[in-house]
Amino acid sequence: MPLDIPLDAGSMMQIMWLVLLIVFAASEAVTVGLTSIWFAAGALAALVAALLGGAVWIQITLFLAVSLLCLAAVRPLAKKHLNSKVEPTNADRVIGAQAQVTEDIDNIRGRGAVVVRGMTWSARSQDGSAIPAGTMVRVLRIEGVKVFVEPTAAPVSAGEPNNW
């Protein structure tokens, strides 16, 4: 037998804010990325207003204001402390460095190597063009164990004298 409990508009709003509070809190618990906790705080403020008999427009205004204030005030501080353990690796230091091509770079055949700061890396050209061995290049980015490079000077042949 169904329960015939009459729900007025105020009760419906209280239930809605409670459901939103639970949804936002649960999604925050699942993601742990400080993405929806602000809205849970706003839903809590709106729920309190609904329990006290506040008008719907006051509840919505409180929800938006508290959510945005929490987001603006706390997120920058939380982000700073949560991301404080990010440290660059030694590999990041080769980005922007000069290198010499030791094996012809051919993106189509998946070949190529450069020496950067005494380390040999698999290499590919940034624009897809072939780069002959001996060419000086600049490292633009790293993807996995490959560096992507662009030429900076003409190839240097072992038999040609340097013009000083």
Side-chain angles (χ1 to χ4, degrees), residues 14 31 48 70 72 74 116 145:
Q14 293 170 5
T31 62
V48 170
C70 287
V74 182
V116 185
V145 295

Side-chain angles (χ1 to χ4, degrees), residues 18-84:
L18 182 60
V19 168
L20 284 174
L21 174 61
I22 292 169
V23 167
F24 288 132
S27 67
E28 183 61 37
V30 171
T31 62
V32 193
L34 293 177
T35 54
S36 60
I37 192 69
W38 326 112
F39 303 110
L44 179 62
L47 176 60
V48 170
L51 290 171
L52 295 174
V56 173
W57 70 269
I58 292 175
Q59 296 170 34
I60 293 171
T61 302
L62 270 174
F63 171 74
L64 293 173
V66 170
S67 296
L68 293 175
L69 282 173
C70 287
L71 180 66
V74 182
R75 184 165 168 85
L77 295 173
K79 227 177 154 182
K80 179 181 173 184
H81 292 291
L82 288 177
N83 293 335
S84 63

